[in-house]
Amino acid sequence: MGKFMTIITIILAIICIPVLLYDICLILSWSKAKEKAFIANLSSIIVTAFCAAVIIIIDLIEKKGIDLFTIVFIILEILLLPFDITCLSPEGIRTPIFVDNGISPVQNWSYEYTGGTLTKEKLELFRNNQKFKRGFHLGIKKPKTVKILADWYGKHGYENPLTK
């Protein structure tokens, strides 16, 4: 491994530390919710998996084996997966425990189901009537998710077709 790749590997390893701390705080917040449902963005997970696969393939083709950079990169990709998952609870959306005591209150959120480009349905979340950064595709039809949304979260100007 060259000097440049060694420096990049060290930087990635250093980045893993705050990401791991963030994950721990997020998982602690998730564990506090008695009732919860997890939803995820399909395209974010696909991009994460694609990046990891490309790095592994390049490594295997060029070097005939996996080096330290690839291992650290894959660890970072795994640590980034919780960023793609959102935890819904009757109290609100769970955040890391160092942000608003681990919860964004349900009063700030509303939702609607729309048509998706990757899937038939997509769940859109709105925080204070502003669209959340991404839509969700995975876990949105589970009975627990539908129940939590219908019972606690405001509808964003429409009737939920999954609760009819």
Side-chain angles (χ1 to χ4, degrees), residues 77-153:
E77 290 292 309
I78 291 168
L79 291 174
L80 288 173
L81 281 174
F83 284 69
D84 297 331
I85 300 169
T86 298
C87 180
L88 303 171
S89 73
E91 300 83 27
I93 292 182
R94 304 307 296 194
T95 60
I97 57 174
F98 58 82
V99 178
D100 297 328
N101 291 325
I103 190 132
S104 179
V106 72
Q107 296 82 3
N108 297 340
W109 294 93
S110 60
Y111 74 98
E112 72 180 15
Y113 284 90
T114 62
T117 54
L118 294 175
T119 58
K120 191 174 180 181
E121 287 103 9
K122 178 169 77 168
L123 173 66
E124 298 282 354
L125 292 178
F126 297 83
R127 183 177 180 154
N128 298 324
N129 287 326
Q130 295 217 338
K131 196 175 197 179
F132 195 52
K133 60 187 171 192
R134 63 185 186 267
F136 299 92
H137 310 94
L138 303 175
I140 65 171
K141 288 180 161 184
K142 289 184 177 178
K144 193 176 228 177
T145 303
V146 173
K147 180 186 180 320
I148 287 175
L149 287 170
D151 290 352
W152 300 98
Y153 290 75

Side-chain angles (χ1 to χ4, degrees), residues 1 5-6 8-10 12-13 55 59 63 65-75:
M1 185 169 15
M5 288 306 291
T6 302
I8 296 297
T9 302
I10 291 169
L12 286 180
I55 291 295
D59 218 20
K63 300 175 189 105
I66 295 177
D67 63 6
L68 184 60
F69 168 79
T70 303
I71 293 168
V72 172
F73 185 84
I74 298 303
I75 289 170

